[in-house]
Amino acid sequence: MCRSIKRLRVSDGPAASEDEIREAVLQFVRKISGYRVPSQRNREAFDLAVQDIARVSSALLDSLTPASASAATR
């Protein structure tokens, strides 16, 4: 679907920045909504979707543990 979205979670690299998450979310919302730039009438809904998805994405990335950490607890 969104092949150009950068992978944000890498096991051996730094955590994704807020800007990286927001850019990925923007691409996702643009793809889903069909708008590159939403009309003024749809701007609020578009921006709210970007905020909500960015918040949830950040929470997901923060809650994931690397595979090596889960193997160490066994």
Side-chain angles (χ1 to χ4, degrees):
M1 179 175 86
C2 295
R3 293 182 196 154
S4 63
I5 292 179
K6 179 182 166 187
R7 183 181 213 184
L8 297 179
R9 182 177 173 266
V10 291
S11 58
D12 61 344
S17 70
E18 286 185 35
D19 288 340
E20 290 173 315
I21 293 170
R22 181 167 169 72
E23 287 301 314
V25 169
L26 263 175
Q27 283 185 313
F28 179 73
V29 173
R30 286 173 178 158
K31 183 69 104 175
I32 294 295
S33 70
Y35 293 114
R36 169 123 175 77
V37 178
S39 65
Q40 199 167 6
R41 181 175 61 186
N42 293 314
R43 170 57 73 182
E44 185 177 348
F46 186 92
D47 289 344
L48 183 59
V50 170
Q51 288 176 345
D52 289 347
I53 296 168
R55 180 182 45 76
V56 171
S57 297
S58 292
L60 170 65
L61 291 171
D62 289 345
S63 68
L64 295 173
T65 57
S68 59
S70 63
T73 60
R74 289 184 191 174

